[in-house]
Amino acid sequence: EWLTASTIKFVNNWLLESPVSLKFGLWEEPPSVELLTLQERDIYISYPPGAIIPIYLISLIKNKFPSPGLIMTFNLINHFLNVFLISLIIYYFLTFHKIKWYYAVFLCIGPILLFIYLPSNLYWFQNVFFADQAIILYFVIFIFLEILRLRAKTKTKRILDLLQGLVLFMGVLTDWFMVFVSITTYLKRIITKEVERPLQKAGAFFLPIIIGVVIFFIQMLSVDGFEVFKNRALLYLIYKNNIREIDFIRKFFGEYFIDSYGIFGLIVILIGILFIFSLFLLNIKLRVNYKKLRNDFITNSFSLLFITIVPCVLHFLFFQYHAYEHNFDALKYSVPISLSLIILPLIPF
């Protein structure tokens, strides 16, 4: 796949010249006497360079250039870590709500098998590695830390908040999807009354995202990348204005999504969205006191599905050009589908 080839190309350039001398840029061309300046070598500026950092460090330690085999091995380990963390999310979530540990272990089996054998996961986690694949692990780690906050004391929550900040920082330097994860999580905390004085505390929560974005813009300034960035933004606007909204939806959900998860996956996501929307409206009407429902299964199910499904939908709405062009954008939906498989059926009980 061309994305894996791009990862190898970018890492090779870093190994040949060092990331510092290349200003941590993802340059399309290797050093050459025909290309006298960095700007002549063309830079990939759509995303920060975080996705290739693990491959670069491994290659640096091994003192050899990365191969497709190395990246495939790393990506399969990435797949395993995602599966392991999803099983922990489900286990901790269920045991927190007084479900016996052996039932919780048994109920983890379905989502584990689903996340392993979903067609999109089997293909992308074996053959392709770049930002859209790398961000899934940060997404799952962040959700796991959020679940741990359910039973955490005040001091432990502070540690978890620091860890979440680190994950947000590394995540936003990998893929812009993490911006939507952070926004959705903080909105969830406001809805469920987990945070008092939300406007005052928003700065500390979003600081890692802000720092990551500022670093990216400083990098763009250092490599004269704003012109490239502006041209890509204009291309996006032209592309978007020439395609009807329904065509974006039909292409992504009617083709890419169905190819990845089948009609079953689409139904699961739609039921999850319906549950979130219905419960949100119902709670507004009933003026629910969330502080009294911190241990309530339905309330916490709403929270879990909200922070997994909504970021995916927001990312699609804001990056429709990316979703329209790249079928691997559907990969992130494997997380809410796997979690919804066990959460949604348990809600009636």
Side-chain angles (χ1 to χ4, degrees), residues 30-313:
S32 168
V33 294
E34 298 174 351
L35 305 171
L36 301 179
T37 66
L38 281 177
Q39 283 68 31
E40 290 179 288
R41 291 165 60 177
D42 295 327
I43 188 171
Y44 178 81
I45 204 72
S46 297
Y47 289 95
I52 74 166
I53 290 176
I55 305 298
Y56 168 73
L57 293 175
I58 293 170
S59 301
L60 200 63
I61 293 168
K62 296 184 70 173
N63 196 28
K64 61 189 297 187
F65 291 106
S67 64
L70 169 68
I71 292 180
M72 289 175 71
T73 301
F74 177 81
N75 214 9
L76 287 172
I77 294 172
N78 185 28
H79 193 182
F80 166 77
L81 291 174
N82 279 300
V83 170
F84 179 66
L85 285 167
I86 283 176
S87 67
L88 288 181
I89 289 169
I90 296 169
Y91 179 82
Y92 276 98
F93 186 83
L94 295 180
T95 54
F96 174 77
H97 292 100
K98 312 303 181 185
I99 294 178
K100 296 185 185 301
W101 70 267
Y102 43 87
Y103 288 137
V105 170
F106 175 76
L107 291 170
C108 286
I109 295 174
I112 287 173
L113 293 175
L114 189 65
F115 196 86
I116 292 174
Y117 291 110
L118 282 169
S120 63
N121 296 23
L122 275 178
Y123 182 79
W124 297 116
F125 280 120
Q126 177 173 306
N127 299 300
V128 181
F129 183 79
F130 195 56
D132 285 84
Q133 293 74 39
I135 197 60
I136 304 299
L137 184 58
Y138 292 115
F139 182 29
V140 175
I141 292 173
F142 187 85
I143 295 167
F144 176 59
L145 294 173
E146 190 70 13
I147 292 301
L148 290 181
R149 292 179 89 257
L150 283 174
R151 63 175 72 189
K153 305 289 186 182
T154 303
K155 290 184 178 179
T156 307
K157 278 188 178 181
R158 289 174 184 167
I159 297 172
L160 292 173
D161 288 343
L162 289 173
L163 291 174
Q164 283 187 309
L166 179 62
V167 173
L168 285 177
F169 177 70
M170 294 300 297
V172 79
L173 289 178
T174 301
D175 192 301
W176 303 123
F177 175 63
M178 217 62 191
V179 173
F180 301 105
V181 174
S182 65
I183 292 170
T184 306
T185 301
Y186 202 70
L187 182 58
K188 181 269 297 184
R189 292 184 186 180
I190 293 173
I191 293 171
T192 56
K193 309 297 183 184
E194 293 175 54
V195 56
E196 297 177 0
R197 303 186 301 277
L199 289 178
Q200 295 179 24
K201 296 184 178 181
F205 181 83
F206 290 106
L207 184 61
I209 294 288
I210 295 169
I211 293 173
V213 173
V214 168
I215 289 173
F216 176 71
F217 277 98
I218 290 173
Q219 182 195 24
M220 281 205 299
L221 280 172
S222 69
V223 297
D224 295 328
F226 270 108
E227 189 66 27
V228 179
F229 193 79
K230 183 186 75 174
N231 291 338
R232 292 191 69 87
L234 288 173
L235 178 64
Y236 166 78
L237 291 174
I238 293 169
Y239 202 97
K240 192 176 188 307
N241 289 334
N242 283 289
I243 298 178
R244 296 177 304 166
E245 199 76 22
I246 190 65
D247 291 327
F248 279 111
I249 295 172
R250 186 183 295 117
K251 182 75 171 179
F252 183 76
F253 288 101
E255 294 183 30
Y256 299 158
F257 198 96
I258 296 297
D259 289 343
S260 298
Y261 309 113
I263 192 66
F264 162 78
L266 187 58
I267 291 171
V268 169
I269 289 295
L270 290 175
I271 292 174
I273 292 172
L274 181 63
F275 168 72
I276 292 168
F277 188 68
S278 301
L279 195 65
F280 179 69
L281 292 180
L282 182 64
N283 288 343
I284 289 176
K285 184 176 181 179
L286 297 178
R287 296 182 180 180
V288 172
N289 186 345
Y290 283 100
K291 289 185 177 181
K292 295 181 179 179
L293 295 174
R294 289 283 167 82
N295 299 330
D296 181 68
F297 185 85
I298 294 179
T299 300
N300 291 327
S301 296
F302 165 82
S303 298
L304 179 57
L305 296 181
F306 189 86
I307 64 173
T308 53
I309 295 176
V310 176
C312 299
V313 176

Side-chain angles (χ1 to χ4, degrees), residues 8-25:
I8 292 174
K9 174 179 61 180
F10 296 143
V11 171
N12 284 350
N13 288 338
W14 280 21
L15 291 170
L16 286 169
E17 302 173 77
S18 90
V20 176
S21 64
L22 291 176
K23 302 178 180 179
F24 292 91

Side-chain angles (χ1 to χ4, degrees), residues 314-342:
L314 289 177
H315 184 269
F316 168 77
L317 293 175
F318 280 87
F319 288 90
Q320 291 182 349
Y321 173 74
H322 181 271
Y324 189 86
E325 285 291 304
H326 305 303
N327 54 349
F328 48 74
D329 188 65
L331 180 62
K332 58 181 63 69
Y333 285 86
S334 62
V335 176
I337 288 174
S338 299
L339 294 174
S340 298
L341 176 71
I342 193 63

